[in-house]
Amino acid sequence: MGGKHDTMTTLTRAGDATFMGHPKGLFYLAFTEAWERFSYYGMTALLALYMVNQLLLPGHVEHIGGFSGFRAAVESIVGPLSTQALASQIFGLYSGFVYFTPLLGGMIADRWIGQRNGVVIGALSMSAGHIAMTFDQSFLLALLLLVIGSGFLKGNISAQVGALYPPEDEARRTRGFVIFSTGINIGAVVGPLLCGLLAQVYGWHYGFGIAAIFMFLGLATYLYGYRYLPARVERRKFEGTRLTAADRRIVFALIAVMVITIFQSTAFYQVFNVNPIWIQQHVALDVASFRIPVPWFQSINSVFSILGVPLVLWIWRYQAARRREPDELAKIGMGAWIAAVSNLILVVAIFVSGNAPVHPIWPFLYSAALGISFLYYWPTLLALVSRAAPAKVNATMMGLAFMSLFISNNLIGWIGGFYEKMSPAEFWATHAAIAAGGGLLVVLFGRGLSRTLHPARRADELSPNR
């Protein structure tokens, strides 16, 4: 399935505008991604809490298949780990490899099976992973299936969005990605809300079970729209592979920018790992007769990643009208400083509260500020790489951008292992310092990097894709 003739026929049929001026296939892809992100973020919101409160405790941990060997391998590298530190390491490895495997899944789809088959394999693997998550024995298998499934699904479904449009239709393609990204953000908001509530009221496995159901709904949505989607995305081919000296300077500059963003990504993604544990331990969650589910706080940064888009765009337009809009490096630096302030909010909350439980408004503000910091640095990084990377290695450089998330998520797992060895104020102050380190690097090297990456500006639509 997926010869060149079939591909072009599919593209022609899929390219017909059917709703809101966009191909019908776009909406099947957007809804598929919404279901998939619902299941992913819902499960992720439960993972650290589930491990600390049940799975890794005596009476459960002995039942996990292959866990003794896995733990021995991890501790041979980082040393003996407490339950919380081990949970943090597992979370970091899982969330890190979720961003690594799409490179492999994309390569396999490009060379052998096509993007449609890749997405179906990915959805089936993730569905099986969510089901395996409901049993102690298959916990490690569940994580493996989810990582493999994400590898096949994440990059391939995004590639299909772009392939729905003719190469010259840049404006409509950009708006299509905005619609697609809306599905991502809706899933990221709703997943933790529903999975967290079910886990609190009925138990952990109900939360994981609903994630499995919604992954199956995503697969059903995709299969229903299968005929409107390109079987194989044709990659652009260029004459030769050698880079000029100027190209190499740009590539090295982009890699330097990616390294800088690792600092704010590390400060940002701890919201999914240790932050739920801290909230459970130190935040006053009871409001009248209702107890706020801890995973609900993880929806807040996604809410503000949606609500903040028009605000951030308005700020940039206002600055541009006065010829004061910051360039891409400055925006990335601003994202780092906002991430630093976000973590300092928790430090202030701890000192203000003293020995009393922390009011829930503080973690709310922390997550909201992180959502704004994300808008400043991550979409800007993707737009910068897309614009500046030489054509011969543009796709490779986009893949490397996501490798920065692989590194940062592994770092949050390692750093999270120090949570019990530090006071909460010290722990969050450390993350503020890490983010500020990224901001400082932009101050020191941003101007030179900007000169290398070409100062010409173009209007880029803001399209978060996590």
Side-chain angles (χ1 to χ4, degrees):
M1 133 190 336
K4 187 168 183 180
H5 177 73
D6 293 338
T7 301
M8 295 307 297
T9 301
T10 304
L11 285 172
T12 301
R13 183 171 60 244
D16 295 335
T18 58
F19 182 60
M20 295 175 61
H22 290 276
K24 182 179 289 188
L26 172 66
F27 298 95
Y28 287 108
L29 293 174
F31 278 103
T32 298
E33 185 71 347
W35 294 128
E36 186 272 330
R37 290 289 91 181
F38 180 110
S39 67
Y40 172 79
Y41 278 103
M43 174 270 182
T44 300
L46 302 180
L47 183 56
L49 293 167
Y50 170 59
M51 289 190 288
V52 168
N53 292 322
Q54 178 173 310
L55 183 69
L56 300 186
L57 299 179
H60 291 274
V61 69
E62 302 89 349
H63 301 151
I64 304 173
F67 194 76
S68 59
F70 172 81
R71 180 170 192 165
V74 172
E75 291 185 336
S76 69
I77 299 172
V78 299
L81 297 171
S82 67
T83 296
Q84 182 276 323
L86 179 59
S88 180
Q89 288 284 346
I90 293 171
F91 185 95
L93 288 169
Y94 161 71
S95 58
F97 275 96
V98 160
Y99 289 104
F100 178 80
T101 52
L103 273 181
L104 303 179
M107 290 170 58
I108 292 171
D110 285 345
R111 298 182 182 185
W112 294 298
I113 63 175
Q115 281 71 23
R116 283 197 305 195
N117 291 335
V119 171
V120 171
I121 292 170
L124 287 170
S125 181
M126 293 185 74
S127 299
H130 285 301
I131 293 173
M133 205 66 175
T134 61
F135 304 96
D136 291 354
Q137 295 87 340
S138 52
F139 174 72
L140 292 179
L141 175 63
L143 295 183
L144 178 62
L145 289 169
L146 289 167
V147 166
I148 293 173
S150 181
F152 276 105
L153 188 146
K154 190 171 178 61
N156 289 320
I157 197 170
S158 298
Q160 287 184 303
V161 174
L164 289 171
Y165 301 89
E168 67 277 5
D169 198 351
E170 190 70 33
R172 202 159 61 110
R173 182 186 297 105
T174 299
R175 290 192 291 271
F177 269 104
V178 171
I179 294 171
F180 180 73
S181 296
T182 300
I184 293 173
N185 285 315
I186 290 172
V189 170
V190 178
L193 294 177
L194 185 54
C195 292
L197 181 63
L198 289 174
Q200 177 169 296
V201 175
Y202 298 106
W204 298 109
H205 296 313
Y206 284 87
F208 293 128
I210 195 68
I213 290 172
F214 280 99
M215 191 63 247
F216 276 119
L217 286 174
L219 175 59
T221 301
Y222 188 81
L223 291 176
Y224 190 76
Y226 202 71
R227 63 191 182 278
Y228 298 105
L229 306 174
R232 186 182 294 275
V233 177
E234 296 295 333
R235 303 296 190 185
R236 290 181 296 171
K237 294 179 173 59
F238 300 93
E239 294 296 328
T241 58
R242 293 179 64 86
L243 297 177
T244 66
D247 287 341
R248 289 194 293 272
R249 285 195 296 272
I250 290 172
V251 167
F252 289 138
L254 286 173
I255 291 173
V257 176
M258 294 172 197
V259 170
I260 290 173
T261 64
I262 289 172
F263 287 79
Q264 53 255 57
S265 289
T266 301
F268 175 87
Y269 280 95
Q270 200 65 264
V271 69
F272 299 109
N273 183 25
V274 171
N275 188 247
I277 308 302
W278 176 81
I279 290 173
Q280 178 180 260
Q281 294 173 345
H282 298 287
V283 176
L285 297 172
D286 293 311
V287 179
S289 59
F290 178 72
R291 185 170 181 83
I292 304 171
V294 174
W296 281 16
F297 288 92
Q298 295 188 28
S299 290
I300 295 167
N301 78 78
S302 297
V303 169
F304 277 81
S305 290
I306 299 171
L307 299 180
V309 168
L311 172 63
V312 169
L313 288 177
W314 179 84
I315 292 172
W316 292 347
R317 282 195 297 268
Y318 179 84
Q319 293 171 326
R322 288 155 179 76
R323 302 193 177 207
R324 296 174 58 188
E325 181 180 3
D327 66 10
E328 292 130 326
L329 265 295
K331 289 174 181 175
I332 288 171
M334 181 63 68
W337 293 116
I338 297 173
V341 171
S342 304
N343 283 275
L344 285 178
I345 288 172
L346 296 186
V347 178
V348 172
I350 292 165
F351 282 110
V352 168
S353 303
N355 295 323
V358 174
H359 193 281
I361 190 63
W362 292 103
F364 176 92
L365 293 174
Y366 158 80
S367 293
L370 282 180
I372 300 299
S373 76
F374 176 85
L375 288 178
Y376 263 88
Y377 90 90
W378 183 249
T380 303
L381 174 65
L382 296 183
L384 173 63
V385 173
S386 177
R387 173 184 68 76
K392 298 183 183 71
V393 293
N394 196 279
T396 300
M397 295 304 294
M398 290 296 286
L400 279 179
F402 281 94
M403 285 298 97
S404 70
L405 298 184
F406 166 72
I407 295 171
S408 61
N409 275 271
N410 276 281
L411 283 174
I412 68 166
W414 176 69
I415 296 170
F418 295 95
Y419 173 68
E420 294 175 325
K421 301 176 183 178
M422 308 167 72
S423 70
E426 290 172 336
F427 185 79
W428 298 115
T430 298
H431 284 76
I434 291 170
L440 184 60
L441 287 173
V442 171
V443 171
L444 294 175
F445 304 108
R447 184 168 296 181
L449 289 170
S450 291
R451 282 197 298 266
T452 302
L453 295 171
H454 183 52
R457 311 287 265 295
R458 69 178 180 134
D460 283 293
E461 292 281 346
L462 194 61
S463 177
N465 185 4
R466 289 188 283 182

